[in-house]
Amino acid sequence: MEIYIHLPFCKSKCQYCDFNSYAACDGATIYSYLAALCREIKFAGEQYGGARIDTVYIGGGTPSMLEAKHISSICRVLKENFDLSGVEEFSIEANPESVAEDKLLAYREAGIDRISIGVQSLDDRNLRSMGRLHDKDTALEKLALADKYFQNVSSDLIIGLPYDNSQLIKSEIDELSGYVTHMSVYQLTLEEGTPLKKRADEGRVWLPSDDEVADLMDVAIDTLSADGFERYEVSNFAKGGKISKHNMGYWTREEYLGLGAGAHSLVKTSDGRTPLPAEIRFSHPRDLNAYIGGVNCVDAFDKIPRAEMSVLSKTDILNEQIMLGLRTANGVEEELLFGRIPPELDEFFARFDGRIALNKRGMEVMNGILVRILEL
Ligand SMILES: C[S@@+](CC[C@H](N)C(=O)[O-])C[C@H]1O[C@@H](n2cnc3c(N)ncnc32)[C@H](O)[C@@H]1O
Ligand code: SF4
């Protein structure tokens, strides 16, 4: 089983972001949230404490913006309530401007062994226009610091920002590859309700077209490959086999517990509310006060209010196996797709060792392919 901990606090909201995160929260709110989170960890431990925990991921929001002692406390409470002796990977997300030496030391002390830094771009005009709080020099300085304390450093990059061009993407990746063993490279999504979407709709920001972004993604993939990174998932690249075990667990449908506001879980046993073992997905309320109030007014994990919950049917499970598995280079067992691939789509797939995966061109048009092959 995997554990995800959500820390939904940021210094300010980035232009493109629709993640469950809140800017400018006061100390009292953060304190109440952390208290509720620790209470939830305790309840979760009472219900799932016997499970073997393979990976832990502290994400956000901006976990690095919290004081080191807060992260240490969360890790201590986790250890008190779960058996973390078999954990193979323990990650934390950080933003460059709030990475500091004392925090890195505290993370390492607490058992964290992987850090994922949200660089997004190494062009100061891109960073400024997206409302990021760091510049290129800070990003490189903090990557060097992280590299000093962690063997497993990842960075996130967004492709399709206003000042992107192929030369920039190539030089960003070449520079980053000196510091990291893993890169997540996402194409910019214009999320409904974000300031960036509004600016784009009103013609107040120039963004590269879909075709231009596809070309930039090609440059990114080729540069990463030349720099020794293997593409093991649509948006994820690793050097020396340092894939993200935690994220791989999502794509191979391992069980995971998501703790914190808006966090999602997948459990494959009875969750205490359903009488029979079943595969259940559920999530907590996104709103901070709804989450805090919900945790504080109950005395067990399975009583915490849920925002969503679904017991998966056999068809749901099969569709998920295909949809998630085809994101990865390892694909799915060939028999899962038996009789589903129309001959005209065959050119988008590669077959090996009884498995089938999307090839490079297939990954480019993945969504269109999934619509054709999933069972509805
Ligand atoms: C949980 S988020 C944020 C992590 C961290 N707070 C940060 O900003 O660096 C994880 C990653 O999703 C990506 N992301 C967020 N919003 C996006 C969007 N609208 N389009 C593409 N990628 C996005 C960014 O690369 C980000 O680092
Ligand atoms: S720092 Fe990360 S989580 Fe926070 S608003 Fe920006 S992209 Fe979203």
Side-chain angles (χ1 to χ4, degrees):
M1 179 176 257
E2 309 193 323
I3 295 180
Y4 173 79
I5 304 273
H6 192 62
L7 297 177
F9 304 107
C10 293
K11 280 250 156 59
S12 65
K13 216 46 202 169
C14 302
Q15 292 273 310
Y16 50 74
C17 181
D18 84 335
F19 276 86
N20 190 33
S21 67
Y22 303 87
C25 290
D26 57 23
T29 306
I30 296 179
Y31 182 83
S32 313
Y33 181 83
L34 294 177
L37 179 65
C38 289
R39 189 174 159 86
E40 186 188 13
I41 294 173
K42 186 170 151 282
F43 291 156
E46 283 163 10
Q47 192 156 333
Y48 297 101
R52 199 192 74 201
I53 305 301
D54 302 315
T55 63
V56 182
Y57 195 104
I58 302 181
T62 309
S64 57
M65 127 186 190
L66 296 186
E67 287 176 48
K69 66 177 185 200
H70 291 141
I71 301 295
S72 305
S73 300
I74 293 168
C75 296
R76 182 178 42 75
V77 175
L78 268 174
K79 267 183 220 135
E80 284 166 3
N81 290 280
F82 286 91
D83 176 8
L84 300 189
S85 59
V87 165
E88 295 168 18
E89 181 186 277
F90 195 149
S91 307
I92 190 163
E93 259 174 10
N95 284 28
E97 71 280 357
S98 51
V99 168
E101 199 147 14
D102 65 313
K103 291 181 184 171
L104 296 176
L105 276 165
Y107 298 163
R108 220 172 57 170
E109 187 68 19
I112 294 169
D113 60 9
R114 181 174 183 276
I115 185 159
S116 171
I117 302 188
V119 173
Q120 320 307 354
S121 175
L122 288 178
D123 181 288
D124 286 344
R125 295 164 304 173
N126 271 339
L127 292 168
R128 262 197 308 277
S129 77
M130 292 302 118
R132 298 293 291 180
L133 299 176
H134 66 274
D135 58 12
K136 173 182 175 172
D137 290 347
T138 310
L140 295 178
E141 181 200 325
K142 299 304 176 68
L143 279 167
L145 199 58
D147 188 34
K148 193 168 139 194
Y149 291 103
F150 291 87
Q151 290 187 345
N152 230 342
V153 181
S154 176
S155 67
D156 289 358
L157 208 57
I158 299 183
I159 305 263
L161 296 174
Y163 297 92
D164 280 353
N165 59 57
S166 45
Q167 229 178 334
L168 174 69
I169 299 297
K170 182 176 178 330
S171 70
E172 284 178 337
I173 290 173
D174 284 340
E175 266 190 281
L176 289 174
S177 63
Y179 302 95
V180 303
T181 49
H182 185 280
M183 270 190 240
S184 301
V185 182
Y186 302 109
Q187 296 188 23
L188 178 70
T189 311
L190 283 177
E191 303 284 0
E192 278 310 324
T194 58
L196 184 63
K197 173 83 167 83
K198 188 158 184 282
R199 267 165 72 198
D201 287 348
E202 292 169 357
R204 289 191 291 119
V205 62
W206 181 88
L207 292 168
S209 67
D210 288 351
D211 284 348
E212 284 165 325
V213 173
D215 289 345
L216 293 174
M217 196 65 196
D218 269 344
V219 172
I221 293 166
D222 291 346
T223 313
L224 281 156
S225 166
D227 289 344
F229 288 80
E230 203 178 319
R231 186 186 201 182
Y232 69 96
E233 193 265 351
V234 176
S235 310
N236 285 281
F237 302 79
K239 199 157 60 174
K242 296 261 179 86
I243 65 164
S244 161
K245 291 181 183 160
H246 183 85
N247 288 340
M248 201 58 182
Y250 292 148
W251 302 311
T252 52
R253 300 188 70 259
E254 301 301 317
E255 278 188 281
Y256 59 92
L257 278 184
L259 309 177
H264 289 250
S265 299
L266 169 65
V267 298
K268 298 185 180 176
T269 50
S270 168
D271 67 339
R273 294 189 195 187
T274 43
L276 292 170
E279 300 204 8
I280 305 154
R281 285 193 182 274
F282 57 87
S283 66
H284 292 331
R286 283 169 67 94
D287 178 73
L288 287 187
N289 289 326
Y291 167 75
I292 295 169
V295 172
N296 286 342
C297 72
V298 299
D299 58 6
F301 185 73
D302 61 28
K303 294 185 189 154
I304 296 173
R306 290 175 181 173
E308 294 162 311
M309 168 168 143
S310 56
V311 179
L312 304 180
S313 68
K314 279 204 172 113
T315 307
D316 293 335
I317 293 171
L318 181 65
N319 281 342
E320 283 192 5
Q321 284 171 330
I322 295 171
M323 214 160 55
L324 296 168
L326 286 183
R327 296 190 64 87
T328 69
N330 204 26
V332 296
E333 283 176 19
E334 203 169 354
E335 66 188 36
L336 277 191
L337 290 187
F338 188 72
R340 282 171 185 266
I341 302 177
E344 69 274 18
L345 294 188
D346 219 39
E347 59 177 311
F348 296 108
F349 288 88
R351 292 175 169 79
F352 50 89
D353 307 332
R355 302 188 70 83
I356 181 162
L358 289 171
N359 58 25
K360 181 166 177 275
R361 286 186 52 227
M363 282 192 178
E364 279 166 23
V365 290
M366 183 177 69
N367 291 339
I369 292 178
L370 288 176
V371 171
R372 299 277 304 276
I373 63 177
L374 288 181
E375 199 169 301
L376 297 172

